[in-house]
Amino acid sequence: MKMLAPWRTRRSEPGHRTGGGDTLSMFRSRMNELFDEMFQESPAKELFFAGDDWTRAEGPSFEVSESDEELRVKAELPGIDEKDVEVTVENGMLLVKGEKRSERDEKRRRYHVSEVSYGSFERSIPLPAGADVDAAKASFDKGVLTLVLPKRQVAESSAKRIPLSKG
Amino acid sequence: MSENVITGTAKGDVTREDDLPVFIPYADVYETPDSLWIRCDLPGVSEDDLEITLEKKVLTLSGRQMNQGRVGAEPVAAEYRTGIYQRSFSLNRDVDEGSVKARLRNGVLDLEIPKSPEAKPRRIPISGA
Protein backbone atom coordinates (compact mmCIF):
# COMPACT_ATOMS: atom_id res chain seq x y z
CA MET A 1 0.00 0.00 0.00
CA LYS A 2 1.46 3.32 -0.99
CA MET A 3 0.89 6.14 1.42
CA LEU A 4 -0.77 9.18 -0.01
CA ALA A 5 0.24 11.43 2.81
CA PRO A 6 3.18 10.04 4.71
CA TRP A 7 4.65 11.39 7.91
CA ARG A 8 6.02 14.72 7.08
CA THR A 9 7.52 17.57 8.94
CA ARG A 10 8.57 21.03 8.03
CA ARG A 11 10.99 23.24 9.81
CA SER A 12 11.27 26.92 9.24
CA GLU A 13 14.53 27.33 11.03
CA PRO A 14 16.83 24.38 10.55
CA GLY A 15 20.38 24.02 11.63
CA HIS A 16 20.42 24.73 15.31
CA ARG A 17 21.17 21.13 15.97
CA THR A 18 24.84 20.48 16.52
CA GLY A 19 26.71 17.94 18.61
CA GLY A 20 24.84 15.11 20.28
CA GLY A 21 22.57 14.92 17.27
CA ASP A 22 24.57 12.03 15.95
CA THR A 23 23.81 10.00 19.00
CA LEU A 24 20.13 10.62 18.55
CA SER A 25 20.22 9.81 14.87
CA MET A 26 21.96 6.59 15.76
CA PHE A 27 19.32 5.90 18.33
CA ARG A 28 16.56 6.70 15.87
CA SER A 29 17.90 4.42 13.21
CA ARG A 30 18.32 1.64 15.76
CA MET A 31 14.75 2.22 16.91
CA ASN A 32 13.61 2.01 13.33
CA GLU A 33 15.34 -1.31 12.98
CA LEU A 34 13.65 -2.55 16.12
CA PHE A 35 10.27 -1.43 14.89
CA ASP A 36 10.91 -2.92 11.51
CA GLU A 37 11.54 -6.21 13.22
CA MET A 38 8.52 -5.82 15.44
CA PHE A 39 6.12 -4.87 12.69
CA GLN A 40 7.44 -7.03 9.94
CA GLU A 41 4.20 -8.87 9.54
CA SER A 42 1.80 -6.28 10.86
CA PRO A 43 -0.67 -4.51 8.61
CA ALA A 44 -0.34 -1.55 10.97
CA LYS A 45 3.15 -1.02 9.66
CA GLU A 46 1.85 -0.31 6.22
CA LEU A 47 -0.69 2.06 7.64
CA PHE A 48 1.67 4.18 9.65
CA PHE A 49 5.14 3.60 8.32
CA ALA A 50 5.40 5.23 4.97
CA GLY A 51 8.39 3.44 3.60
CA ASP A 52 11.54 5.35 4.36
CA ASP A 53 9.77 8.63 4.73
CA TRP A 54 9.20 8.41 8.41
CA THR A 55 12.82 7.61 9.16
CA ARG A 56 13.74 11.01 7.80
CA ALA A 57 11.27 12.78 10.01
CA GLU A 58 12.76 15.63 12.00
CA GLY A 59 11.18 17.67 14.67
CA PRO A 60 9.10 16.37 17.55
CA SER A 61 8.93 12.67 18.22
CA PHE A 62 5.55 11.01 18.00
CA GLU A 63 4.14 7.81 19.37
CA VAL A 64 0.97 6.16 18.17
CA SER A 65 -0.63 3.31 20.05
CA GLU A 66 -3.87 1.53 19.60
CA SER A 67 -6.18 -0.61 21.70
CA ASP A 68 -9.60 -2.02 20.94
CA GLU A 69 -11.22 1.06 22.46
CA GLU A 70 -9.05 3.92 21.37
CA LEU A 71 -6.24 5.37 19.35
CA ARG A 72 -3.65 7.32 21.30
CA VAL A 73 -1.25 9.79 19.76
CA LYS A 74 1.47 11.31 21.87
CA ALA A 75 3.99 13.93 20.85
CA GLU A 76 6.98 15.24 22.72
CA LEU A 77 6.75 19.01 22.51
CA PRO A 78 9.06 20.35 25.21
CA GLY A 79 9.14 24.10 25.58
CA ILE A 80 6.15 24.67 23.36
CA ASP A 81 3.30 26.72 24.72
CA GLU A 82 -0.19 25.28 24.57
CA LYS A 83 -1.33 28.25 22.54
CA ASP A 84 1.31 27.55 19.92
CA VAL A 85 -0.04 24.07 19.17
CA GLU A 86 -2.87 23.43 16.75
CA VAL A 87 -4.54 20.09 16.21
CA THR A 88 -6.98 19.57 13.33
CA VAL A 89 -8.60 16.65 11.57
CA GLU A 90 -9.39 16.80 7.91
CA ASN A 91 -10.20 14.07 5.43
CA GLY A 92 -9.17 11.36 7.81
CA MET A 93 -5.81 12.95 8.51
CA LEU A 94 -4.77 14.24 11.88
CA LEU A 95 -2.63 17.35 11.57
CA VAL A 96 -0.50 18.63 14.41
CA LYS A 97 1.11 22.02 13.89
CA GLY A 98 3.16 24.04 16.26
CA GLU A 99 5.98 26.37 16.85
CA LYS A 100 8.75 26.33 19.36
CA ARG A 101 9.65 29.91 19.91
CA SER A 102 13.22 30.80 20.43
CA GLU A 103 14.08 33.39 23.00
CA ARG A 104 17.65 33.56 21.97
CA ASP A 105 19.17 36.86 22.68
CA GLU A 106 22.42 36.40 20.84
CA LYS A 107 23.98 39.59 22.06
CA ARG A 108 23.99 38.76 25.71
CA ARG A 109 24.45 35.01 25.51
CA ARG A 110 27.51 33.12 24.53
CA TYR A 111 26.47 29.69 23.36
CA HIS A 112 28.64 26.68 24.09
CA VAL A 113 26.21 23.93 23.19
CA SER A 114 23.19 24.35 20.93
CA GLU A 115 21.25 21.17 20.26
CA VAL A 116 17.67 22.18 20.87
CA SER A 117 15.76 22.88 17.66
CA TYR A 118 13.47 25.87 17.35
CA GLY A 119 10.98 26.80 14.69
CA SER A 120 7.74 25.41 13.40
CA PHE A 121 6.78 21.87 12.65
CA GLU A 122 3.90 20.14 10.99
CA ARG A 123 3.01 16.51 11.07
CA SER A 124 0.13 14.56 9.61
CA ILE A 125 -0.97 11.13 10.63
CA PRO A 126 -3.59 9.02 8.86
CA LEU A 127 -6.43 8.02 11.17
CA PRO A 128 -7.81 4.50 10.99
CA ALA A 129 -11.44 3.92 10.10
CA GLY A 130 -13.68 4.17 13.14
CA ALA A 131 -11.69 6.82 14.98
CA ASP A 132 -14.30 9.09 16.55
CA VAL A 133 -13.05 12.57 15.86
CA ASP A 134 -15.97 14.27 17.60
CA ALA A 135 -15.12 12.54 20.86
CA ALA A 136 -11.40 13.24 20.60
CA LYS A 137 -9.67 14.61 23.66
CA ALA A 138 -6.40 16.48 23.75
CA SER A 139 -4.31 17.25 26.78
CA PHE A 140 -0.96 18.90 27.29
CA ASP A 141 1.19 18.07 30.24
CA LYS A 142 4.92 18.48 30.97
CA GLY A 143 5.66 19.16 27.34
CA VAL A 144 3.85 16.07 26.11
CA LEU A 145 0.74 16.34 23.96
CA THR A 146 -1.67 13.42 24.27
CA LEU A 147 -4.58 12.90 21.91
CA VAL A 148 -7.11 10.19 22.57
CA LEU A 149 -9.58 9.21 19.89
CA PRO A 150 -12.15 6.62 20.90
CA LYS A 151 -13.02 4.06 18.28
CA ARG A 152 -16.53 3.67 17.03
CA GLN A 153 -17.65 0.12 16.72
CA VAL A 154 -17.30 -0.60 13.05
CA ALA A 155 -19.70 -3.22 11.79
CA GLU A 156 -17.79 -6.43 11.65
CA SER A 157 -19.41 -7.44 8.43
CA SER A 158 -17.78 -4.64 6.47
CA ALA A 159 -15.94 -7.37 4.61
CA LYS A 160 -18.58 -8.96 2.50
CA ARG A 161 -18.45 -12.60 1.75
CA ILE A 162 -19.17 -13.42 -1.84
CA PRO A 163 -20.83 -16.74 -2.24
CA LEU A 164 -19.37 -19.07 -4.80
CA SER A 165 -21.73 -20.78 -7.08
CA LYS A 166 -20.79 -24.04 -8.58
CA GLY A 167 -20.69 -24.03 -12.28
CA MET B 1 40.01 31.47 27.28
CA SER B 2 38.75 28.07 26.28
CA GLU B 3 35.69 27.93 24.05
CA ASN B 4 34.71 24.68 25.60
CA VAL B 5 33.50 25.93 28.93
CA ILE B 6 31.07 23.16 29.48
CA THR B 7 31.31 19.68 28.12
CA GLY B 8 28.35 17.41 28.01
CA THR B 9 29.36 13.87 28.67
CA ALA B 10 27.57 11.87 26.08
CA LYS B 11 27.29 8.29 27.11
CA GLY B 12 27.46 6.99 23.58
CA ASP B 13 25.07 4.16 23.07
CA VAL B 14 21.84 3.85 24.93
CA THR B 15 22.48 2.08 28.20
CA ARG B 16 20.08 0.56 30.66
CA GLU B 17 19.31 1.19 34.29
CA ASP B 18 16.69 -0.65 36.33
CA ASP B 19 15.72 -2.25 33.07
CA LEU B 20 14.87 1.17 31.60
CA PRO B 21 16.65 2.69 28.63
CA VAL B 22 18.79 5.74 29.38
CA PHE B 23 18.77 8.64 26.93
CA ILE B 24 20.86 11.74 26.55
CA PRO B 25 18.55 14.75 26.38
CA TYR B 26 19.14 17.68 24.05
CA ALA B 27 20.57 20.75 25.69
CA ASP B 28 21.49 24.35 25.06
CA VAL B 29 24.32 25.70 27.15
CA TYR B 30 25.14 29.36 27.26
CA GLU B 31 26.89 31.92 29.31
CA THR B 32 26.00 35.40 30.40
CA PRO B 33 28.38 37.70 32.28
CA ASP B 34 27.02 36.53 35.63
CA SER B 35 25.92 32.94 35.08
CA LEU B 36 26.12 29.71 33.18
CA TRP B 37 22.79 28.45 31.87
CA ILE B 38 21.73 24.97 30.90
CA ARG B 39 18.45 24.50 29.12
CA CYS B 40 17.45 20.93 28.60
CA ASP B 41 14.49 19.26 26.89
CA LEU B 42 12.94 16.76 29.30
CA PRO B 43 9.45 16.07 27.96
CA GLY B 44 7.27 14.01 30.26
CA VAL B 45 9.46 14.46 33.33
CA SER B 46 7.87 15.84 36.48
CA GLU B 47 9.66 17.66 39.30
CA ASP B 48 9.41 14.64 41.55
CA ASP B 49 11.14 12.45 39.02
CA LEU B 50 14.05 14.79 38.39
CA GLU B 51 17.30 14.81 40.31
CA ILE B 52 20.03 17.35 39.85
CA THR B 53 23.39 17.08 41.57
CA LEU B 54 26.49 19.22 41.50
CA GLU B 55 29.65 17.63 42.77
CA LYS B 56 33.24 18.57 42.06
CA LYS B 57 32.11 20.87 39.27
CA VAL B 58 30.23 18.10 37.53
CA LEU B 59 26.55 18.77 37.18
CA THR B 60 24.44 15.70 36.60
CA LEU B 61 20.78 15.57 35.87
CA SER B 62 18.71 12.47 35.87
CA GLY B 63 15.01 12.43 35.08
CA ARG B 64 12.60 9.62 34.79
CA GLN B 65 9.86 9.81 32.22
CA MET B 66 6.92 7.80 33.40
CA ASN B 67 4.76 6.00 30.96
CA GLN B 68 1.10 6.56 31.51
CA GLY B 69 -2.05 5.25 29.97
CA ARG B 70 -0.72 2.61 27.68
CA VAL B 71 -2.43 -0.35 29.33
CA GLY B 72 -3.68 -2.79 26.76
CA ALA B 73 -2.66 -0.57 23.89
CA GLU B 74 -0.50 -1.82 21.06
CA PRO B 75 2.20 0.55 19.87
CA VAL B 76 1.70 1.25 16.19
CA ALA B 77 4.56 3.65 15.63
CA ALA B 78 6.95 5.10 18.16
CA GLU B 79 9.82 7.48 17.70
CA TYR B 80 10.57 7.73 21.34
CA ARG B 81 10.44 5.43 24.27
CA THR B 82 9.99 6.23 27.88
CA GLY B 83 12.97 5.78 30.13
CA ILE B 84 15.58 7.77 31.96
CA TYR B 85 17.18 10.98 30.74
CA GLN B 86 20.69 11.41 32.00
CA ARG B 87 23.45 13.82 31.25
CA SER B 88 26.49 15.26 32.94
CA PHE B 89 28.16 18.58 32.34
CA SER B 90 31.62 19.44 33.59
CA LEU B 91 31.81 23.09 34.47
CA ASN B 92 35.19 24.69 34.11
CA ARG B 93 34.28 28.01 35.55
CA ASP B 94 34.20 28.67 39.26
CA VAL B 95 30.57 28.68 40.20
CA ASP B 96 28.59 29.52 43.26
CA GLU B 97 27.40 26.01 44.03
CA GLY B 98 25.01 27.11 46.74
CA SER B 99 22.86 29.34 44.58
CA VAL B 100 22.01 27.22 41.56
CA LYS B 101 18.43 27.79 40.47
CA ALA B 102 16.35 25.21 38.62
CA ARG B 103 13.00 25.67 36.93
CA LEU B 104 11.01 23.02 35.11
CA ARG B 105 8.28 24.21 32.78
CA ASN B 106 6.53 22.56 29.84
CA GLY B 107 9.06 19.74 29.83
CA VAL B 108 12.03 22.10 29.69
CA LEU B 109 14.55 22.45 32.49
CA ASP B 110 16.30 25.78 32.96
CA LEU B 111 19.32 25.84 35.21
CA GLU B 112 20.96 29.05 36.27
CA ILE B 113 24.40 28.53 37.73
CA PRO B 114 25.81 31.80 39.04
CA LYS B 115 29.53 32.27 38.60
CA SER B 116 31.63 32.88 41.66
CA PRO B 117 32.78 36.51 41.97
CA GLU B 118 36.26 35.49 40.82
CA ALA B 119 34.94 34.08 37.56
CA LYS B 120 32.88 37.12 36.60
CA PRO B 121 34.31 39.58 34.17
CA ARG B 122 35.77 42.49 36.02
CA ARG B 123 35.86 46.01 34.86
CA ILE B 124 39.16 47.68 35.39
CA PRO B 125 38.85 51.35 36.11
CA ILE B 126 41.14 53.60 34.23
CA SER B 127 42.44 56.52 36.07
CA GLY B 128 43.41 59.66 34.29
CA ALA B 129 47.05 60.48 34.13
Side-chain angles (χ1 to χ4, degrees), chain B residues 33-59:
Chain B
D34 295 334
S35 303
L36 297 172
W37 298 77
I38 297 174
R39 165 169 289 194
C40 202
D41 276 356
L42 300 170
V45 176
S46 67
E47 283 158 46
D48 297 338
D49 293 319
L50 179 63
E51 198 182 276
I52 305 160
T53 55
L54 180 56
E55 200 191 345
K56 290 181 182 147
K57 288 169 107 176
V58 175
L59 186 134

Side-chain angles (χ1 to χ4, degrees), chain A residues 64-75:
Chain A
V64 181
S65 60
E66 194 176 1
S67 68
D68 289 342
E69 292 81 32
E70 63 187 33
L71 182 80
R72 194 174 278 260
V73 178
K74 286 171 87 174

Side-chain angles (χ1 to χ4, degrees), chain B residues 54-104:
Chain B
L54 180 56
E55 200 191 345
K56 290 181 182 147
K57 288 169 107 176
V58 175
L59 186 134
T60 301
L61 51 98
S62 179
R64 191 176 287 234
Q65 187 190 38
M66 300 312 279
N67 201 354
Q68 329 109 328
R70 266 267 297 281
V71 185
E74 289 284 313
V76 178
E79 294 158 353
Y80 70 89
R81 280 189 303 170
T82 45
I84 296 171
Y85 288 111
Q86 215 165 65
R87 189 157 181 178
S88 298
F89 301 89
S90 17
L91 316 175
N92 49 8
R93 287 269 190 280
D94 284 321
V95 296
D96 185 354
E97 300 203 358
S99 34
V100 178
K101 277 183 211 141
R103 189 184 72 141
L104 187 65

Side-chain angles (χ1 to χ4, degrees), chain A residues 44 67 75 84 92 119 149 152:
Chain A
S67 68
D84 291 328
L149 292 107
R152 269 194 226 100

Side-chain angles (χ1 to χ4, degrees), chain A residues 105-167:
Chain A
D105 177 1
E106 310 284 350
K107 277 181 198 156
R108 283 194 61 234
R109 300 178 181 179
R110 235 181 94 201
Y111 274 81
H112 297 288
V113 178
S114 179
E115 297 162 353
V116 180
S117 302
Y118 297 93
S120 59
F121 69 91
E122 193 179 309
R123 193 80 182 258
S124 48
I125 296 163
L127 294 175
D132 190 348
V133 173
D134 298 324
K137 281 194 185 108
S139 60
F140 202 63
D141 183 37
K142 298 183 290 244
V144 179
L145 171 76
T146 305
L147 293 163
V148 179
L149 292 107
K151 281 185 182 171
R152 269 194 226 100
Q153 285 312 309
V154 183
E156 273 183 32
S157 57
S158 61
K160 216 173 195 175
R161 193 186 173 111
I162 299 164
L164 299 174
S165 58
K166 278 180 189 167

Side-chain angles (χ1 to χ4, degrees), chain A residues 17 20-34 55, chain B residues 10-14 23-24 26 79 81:
Chain A
R17 191 172 280 183
D22 281 347
T23 312
L24 197 84
S25 337
M26 268 171 54
F27 166 66
R28 276 217 166 127
S29 62
R30 178 68 191 124
M31 281 300 293
N32 291 340
E33 284 168 30
L34 286 174
T55 62
Chain B
K11 290 200 173 217
D13 256 333
V14 174
F23 308 119
I24 304 148
Y26 278 137
E79 294 158 353
R81 280 189 303 170

